[in-house]
Amino acid sequence: MSELTVQIAAIVREASKLMTDKSLKDRIEQKGNNSNYVTEADKAVQNFLAERLPDLVPESEMLGEEGEHRQLHAENIWVVDPIDGTSNFIRDIGFSGISVGLVRNGEPYAGVIYNPYRDEVYRAETGKGAFLNEQPIRVSDRDFSHSHLCSAMCLYDKRYAEACFNVIRRVYLQSDDLRRMGTACLELAMLAAGRVELYFEMRLFPWDAAAAFPIIREAGGIAECLYYEGF
């Protein structure tokens, strides 16, 4: 069992209490375009994690979704999405998560994803297995025709929507069904737990997937990012 991810999970649970503060949730700003929001709760959670996580790994740095994005050079980098699914959070849909990944020497090494609405902690450290609330998890063994695909349509740059629709349509016609839930980290975590089988999204950011990659891989799944010029 990974003592590191147990410690991360305890910090994340504590940070999640800030999500219940209505005075923080209702202070909303737009960033980038009409579909991209940030609340004071996002900022408060990230600030809390920025204070607490570096104590677990000396001389580590942090990349968070909110605030400045600068190039980091530390051996250990925390990659944090304080509230993934902010739009869901604002609308009280009840499906948002906190995602904390630890990247070591440029590779996703450990991850914790927390769904506070169901009190579910997904966690993994490379070489030590993947867990959901202390129970080992494995990816699904359903065949392609019985698979569920989670996906999205490149919300922050809709120029790529048609390309996304084309991929989704091809997979949907050959698989069982499609889910679009609005929270990448939790959708990827559910893939690790065998609740869904496939995930595709164009233009994910590091904080969307850094925590999920080690969890999926330790659960026996395949998680890869492909990079193309122009994206």
Side-chain angles (χ1 to χ4, degrees):
M1 181 176 292
S2 167
E3 181 63 27
L4 174 61
T5 56
V6 170
Q7 293 174 318
I8 297 169
I11 292 172
V12 168
R13 282 182 186 274
E14 195 172 349
S16 72
K17 296 174 184 176
L18 294 164
M19 294 172 65
T20 63
D21 186 333
K22 196 173 190 305
S23 68
L24 297 176
K25 178 179 181 178
D26 290 346
R27 292 159 65 184
I28 304 166
E29 302 172 21
Q30 284 188 253
K31 55 176 187 176
N33 65 23
N34 290 338
S35 301
N36 200 355
Y37 303 96
V38 60
T39 70
E40 288 300 314
D42 291 82
K43 297 176 184 178
V45 170
Q46 181 164 305
N47 289 339
F48 182 90
L49 295 173
E51 290 179 5
R52 297 288 299 279
L53 290 173
D55 291 339
L56 299 181
V57 179
E59 300 183 7
S60 56
E61 296 183 277
M62 193 177 102
L63 172 66
E65 178 180 9
E66 310 308 335
E68 180 186 3
H69 298 150
R70 59 186 178 85
Q71 189 171 4
L72 304 177
H73 302 284
E75 177 183 343
N76 293 287
I77 297 174
W78 300 100
V79 184
V80 170
D81 195 334
I83 302 178
D84 188 27
T86 300
S87 184
N88 286 356
F89 176 64
I90 291 167
R91 295 166 179 264
D92 286 320
I93 289 174
F95 196 73
S96 305
I98 300 175
S99 176
V100 175
L102 180 63
V103 175
R104 179 163 292 174
N105 293 320
E107 289 293 327
Y109 176 76
V112 169
I113 295 171
Y114 182 46
N115 180 347
Y117 301 97
R118 297 185 63 170
D119 191 27
E120 291 186 332
V121 175
Y122 302 82
R123 62 184 184 85
E125 182 177 354
T126 299
K128 297 186 178 181
F131 300 87
L132 168 55
N133 287 355
E134 309 314 311
Q135 297 301 312
I137 53 176
R138 295 289 295 176
V139 293
S140 169
D141 61 359
R142 294 182 182 90
D143 63 27
F144 189 83
S145 65
H146 294 93
S147 294
H148 278 194
L149 166 70
C150 282
S151 193
M153 279 65 78
C154 205
L155 181 64
Y156 301 147
D157 194 337
K158 294 184 179 180
R159 292 176 300 168
Y160 302 111
E162 185 175 356
C164 293
F165 286 133
N166 288 339
V167 172
I168 291 167
R169 181 179 184 277
R170 288 179 62 187
V171 175
Y172 174 71
L173 290 175
Q174 299 177 61
S175 61
D176 182 8
D177 208 348
L178 168 70
R179 298 288 182 269
R180 194 273 190 258
M181 301 178 185
T183 308
C185 76
L186 291 181
E187 293 171 79
L188 289 164
M190 291 193 301
L191 188 152
R195 293 173 174 173
V196 299
E197 288 71 40
L198 304 165
Y199 184 91
F200 162 77
E201 188 165 351
M202 193 176 288
R203 293 176 63 85
L204 276 180
F205 295 98
W207 43 82
D208 295 317
F213 270 37
I215 300 173
I216 292 170
R217 289 169 178 171
E218 286 296 303
I222 298 171
E224 299 292 343
C225 283
L226 301 177
Y227 297 93
Y228 294 94
E229 185 178 353
F231 281 72

